[in-house]
Amino acid sequence: MDSGSIENYDVVVIGAGVSGMYALHHLREMGLSVRVYDGASDIGGTWWYNRYPGARVDGPGSPFYSYTFSEELVQEWDWAETQSEQSAVLDYLEHVADRFDLRRDIQFETWVEDARYDEEAQRWTVKTSTGDRASAKFLICAVGALSTANKPDIPGIHDFAGECYHTGLWPHEPVSFEGKRVAVIGTGSSGIQSIPEIAREAAHVTVLQRTPQYAFPAKNRPITPEEMADARTNWDAHREKMHANFGGFPCDNQERSAFEDTPEQREALYEALWQRGGFQFFLNLYSDIAISEEANQTLADFVRAKIREIVHDPATAEKLLPDYFVITKRPILEDGYFEAYNRDNVSLVDLREDPIERFTSTSVITQTGEHPIDMLVLATGFDAISGSMLRLNPKGRGGMSLKEKWEDRFHNYLGLTIGGFPNLFMIHGPGSPGVFYNMPLGAERQMDWIGRCLSHLHDQELGSIEATTENEEAWGAEVSTLANITLFPRTDSWWTGANIPGKPRYFSVYLGGAMYYHRITEVKDKNFEGFLFEPAHRPEGAEIP
Ligand code: NA7
């Protein structure tokens, strides 16, 4: 496209990760013209950026962390491990991009710098970092729930002259830790996956820990030919189960309270799950673990005892003991994390006792002393769920920016739409099950709803659809009511926005699991009842000025 000219599409999609890729495929199948923009050099989104050592799927994993829309795709793709490493997920996504010829409609290395709604034209106009301008009736934000890196603002951090990497923006060139003194800030999934890998090579690893974490054995292993065959042969049955399950995986929902068992039976269940490992641990737990303080305590005590058992030095073990409600931060799967502290080249700094004062060009200084380092790894996570929408900061009716709209709360309806931002849709945004749900499946199901909505507008010759304030208030109340049944809002986490200074602190994920899809289907089946519609200002197909 020539700089200065404007290209017209039916839909602009922002983001070419798991969600944006499916959005493109689905919209094309509907016969719509689509342009996708992504800042990265290729497809994959979060899986393109997160290349740190040890990065792998830490959800329920393969073969069900994948698209379900194409039976052929399911039949032809072989997964090697239960928790695929990052490169294997990217291989799969590249295969999808090739198979469905997605790249021809994606413009890479292009950031959308401005997205603005034109009320008269009932269209969105976007301007990009490459100087392109595009206009589209619909804007789909597939910007990722974990894609805006959180870089901590610590005094002197920019003076540090050694190598410095954020796990979510890891270089494509190999990084060598050989002979280096490495400091790692952060003990979320990324820190806990990477620390044992780094420790294998580095001269020394200093872990700077703010919050000790519960972490569970990953027990990654090869997928057996029988398991792959079962996934393929019984795909329809698995898919049906996935649709019914709380998290979108082919598992049964748990309905038994922790107190229906004796302490011995509970211990036996936890031990069996611990030995088996994987995300199955959480999918097979008691139904009240995240609801009842007492039930939660039983599991928390079990994990704390395991940490004490694994870590040889009692003082280090003590610093590693978490004290929040277990699983109220994103559950973490580990492979050799606690064992890493038994190595001579790994040391732990508890930042709650010994906070960071500043960085110098060659060291990190904490309250009790100086730690000379050659490399700093920031495993400090993301401005999650809402952060990438706010970074995009679209401007809706009257030029209102999303930052203004979301100053106090991430107002939205159905986790898909925002009042004052007509014809804009989010995938995996706040108010949706997003990060609590199988992400590829969630993207497909949300996108299918959006597709039906676009067809409805076309069939009814409507110009725009928009959520009302009442819709948003009622939805926000539903999100909070569901969250407040649980212990989740009581813990500081990226789910509650507490990891980002100044961010509204509340639990913005819809915790109803599969019920969410019933709710949005209900609205769709009633012809999108409750939304505000405008007639088209111009007949469909009329020339766009
Ligand atoms: P997380 O889970 O947000 O973890 C980030 C870690 O960094 C966590 O331990 C934070 O401590 C720590 N952190 C963040 N800021 C600071 C500062 N300023 N000082 C010290 N420590 C800090 O991100 P991940 O990348 O590990 O995982 C994100 C998701 O990606 C993961 O859940 C999977 O779904 C995949 P805190 O706990 O906030 O005290």
Side-chain angles (χ1 to χ4, degrees):
M1 195 197 310
D2 291 340
S3 168
S5 69
I6 185 155
E7 209 70 21
N8 291 300
Y9 302 98
D10 293 319
V11 189
V12 158
V13 175
I14 307 178
V18 169
S19 309
M21 289 170 66
Y22 177 68
L24 169 58
H25 172 72
H26 187 74
L27 294 162
R28 262 197 205 156
E29 295 277 290
M30 290 174 65
L32 299 172
S33 63
V34 190
R35 189 66 165 171
V36 182
Y37 296 104
D38 197 296
S41 309
D42 206 346
I43 53 89
T46 295
W47 291 107
W48 191 86
Y49 284 102
N50 283 264
R51 299 165 180 258
Y52 59 84
R56 54 176 70 244
V57 174
D58 70 346
S62 322
F64 300 108
Y65 180 87
S66 59
Y67 293 116
T68 69
F69 68 89
S70 160
E71 177 80 31
E72 295 77 32
L73 184 60
V74 171
Q75 295 302 330
E76 74 199 9
W77 191 257
D78 268 324
W79 292 98
E81 295 180 303
T82 53
Q83 288 150 49
S84 305
E85 56 183 357
Q86 174 268 342
S87 61
V89 180
L90 206 52
D91 284 349
Y92 167 75
L93 295 175
E94 283 173 1
H95 170 74
V96 175
D98 292 342
R99 193 185 201 292
F100 299 98
D101 190 19
L102 297 182
R103 287 189 183 86
R104 73 180 150 88
D105 288 322
I106 306 175
Q107 189 171 322
F108 294 108
E109 299 184 6
T110 305
W111 288 97
V112 172
E113 291 187 332
D114 190 59
R116 206 169 279 270
Y117 187 66
D118 179 335
E119 294 178 52
E120 181 42 40
Q122 296 172 305
R123 294 178 71 83
W124 283 90
T125 305
V126 302
K127 290 186 191 156
T128 73
S129 56
T130 46
D132 298 320
R133 292 196 309 141
S135 160
K137 183 165 177 182
F138 302 104
L139 182 68
I140 297 183
C141 302
V143 288
L146 294 163
S147 52
T148 299
N150 170 35
K151 295 183 187 162
D153 186 17
I154 300 171
I157 196 161
H158 300 296
D159 300 333
F160 177 65
E163 293 166 83
C164 179
Y165 306 111
H166 189 286
T167 46
L169 297 166
W170 200 258
H172 287 226
E173 305 74 46
V175 173
S176 169
F177 305 101
E178 192 94 34
K180 291 176 188 162
R181 296 162 301 177
V182 183
V184 180
I185 306 184
T187 51
S189 298
S190 306
I192 285 180
Q193 286 182 332
S194 59
I195 287 162
E197 301 286 329
I198 299 173
R200 245 170 248 146
E201 245 189 70
H204 192 85
V205 179
T206 306
V207 178
L208 300 159
Q209 169 195 270
R210 184 162 74 184
T211 308
Q213 293 271 23
Y214 301 93
F216 300 77
K219 299 269 171 93
N220 176 43
R221 59 171 176 79
I223 291 185
T224 64
E226 293 74 28
E227 285 169 323
M228 252 347 281
D230 167 66
R232 287 189 176 125
T233 318
N234 300 314
W235 184 251
D236 288 342
H238 288 306
R239 193 159 186 241
E240 202 174 305
K241 241 179 167 182
M242 286 160 83
H243 279 237
N245 175 252
F246 182 89
F249 290 95
C251 314
D252 295 318
N253 293 313
Q254 293 307 312
E255 271 150 33
R256 209 153 55 96
S257 156
F259 299 107
E260 285 177 47
D261 278 352
T262 64
E264 292 72 28
Q265 286 168 327
R266 275 198 301 272
E267 187 78 8
L269 174 73
Y270 295 154
E271 185 60 39
L273 293 174
W274 186 270
Q275 293 310 328
R276 180 173 164 199
F279 213 84
Q280 296 298 334
F281 196 108
F282 315 107
L283 301 173
N284 289 289
L285 277 176
Y286 301 110
S287 59
D288 50 357
I289 284 291
I291 294 173
S292 143
E293 284 188 32
E294 293 72 27
N296 193 276
Q297 182 80 21
T298 64
L299 178 61
D301 288 345
F302 174 85
V303 183
R304 284 194 282 256
K306 286 289 184 194
I307 297 171
R308 283 200 184 92
E309 211 176 283
I310 300 167
V311 179
H312 298 165
D313 173 42
T316 304
E318 215 54 34
K319 288 183 195 166
L320 286 166
L321 295 184
D323 53 9
Y324 61 92
F325 294 119
V326 61
I327 78 167
T328 57
K329 276 176 178 287
R330 167 65 156 76
I332 296 173
L333 298 182
E334 60 81 37
D335 182 8
Y337 172 67
F338 293 116
E339 283 86 350
Y341 292 97
N342 296 333
R343 299 173 65 107
D344 293 337
N345 69 337
V346 177
S347 54
L348 178 66
V349 177
D350 178 353
L351 298 180
R352 296 199 287 196
E353 278 175 5
D354 185 14
I356 299 175
E357 289 191 339
R358 64 191 165 91
F359 280 87
T360 70
S361 61
T362 55
S363 67
V364 50
I365 299 178
T366 62
Q367 202 168 296
T368 61
E370 183 166 8
H371 309 264
I373 53 170
D374 305 300
M375 186 192 287
L376 174 61
V377 172
L378 297 171
T380 43
F382 303 91
D383 184 350
I385 306 169
S386 51
S388 302
M389 283 300 298
L390 286 165
R391 180 171 60 177
L392 175 68
N393 198 25
K395 317 293 181 308
R397 273 195 199 284
M400 180 178 50
S401 75
L402 190 64
K403 278 187 185 157
E404 291 167 80
K405 167 93 187 183
W406 279 5
E407 204 177 355
D408 61 329
R409 191 178 168 95
F410 311 116
H411 304 276
N412 69 82
Y413 180 45
L414 304 179
L416 284 156
T417 61
I418 307 167
F421 294 75
N423 293 359
L424 177 151
F425 300 91
M426 300 181 285
I427 303 182
H428 292 323
S432 77
V435 291
F436 265 69
Y437 199 77
N438 185 340
M439 302 287 277
L441 180 66
E444 288 178 348
R445 298 185 79 182
Q446 281 196 310
M447 189 53 228
D448 293 351
W449 186 95
I450 296 169
R452 293 293 294 273
C453 183
L454 269 48
S455 300
H456 178 76
L457 264 75
H458 176 266
D459 297 346
Q460 303 297 315
E461 298 180 6
L462 296 166
S464 71
I465 179 169
E466 186 179 350
T468 65
T469 310
E470 295 74 41
N471 290 154
E472 291 184 319
E473 278 175 11
W475 190 252
E478 188 168 331
V479 169
S480 292
T481 303
L482 287 166
N484 290 336
I485 297 169
T486 72
L487 301 168
F488 290 113
R490 292 168 58 184
T491 297
D492 284 345
S493 70
W494 57 258
W495 287 334
T496 60
N499 63 328
I500 303 296
K503 190 166 172 168
R505 191 200 181 289
Y506 79 103
F507 194 90
S508 63
V509 178
Y510 187 91
L511 267 187
M515 186 172 89
Y516 170 79
Y517 294 97
H518 293 300
R519 293 285 283 109
I520 66 171
T521 304
E522 208 171 59
V523 174
K524 179 201 75 187
D525 290 347
K526 290 185 181 162
N527 290 326
F528 303 91
E529 188 183 73
F531 277 102
L532 281 180
F533 293 99
E534 276 183 343
H537 292 173
R538 256 188 304 275
E540 197 95 1
E543 199 171 313
I544 297 154

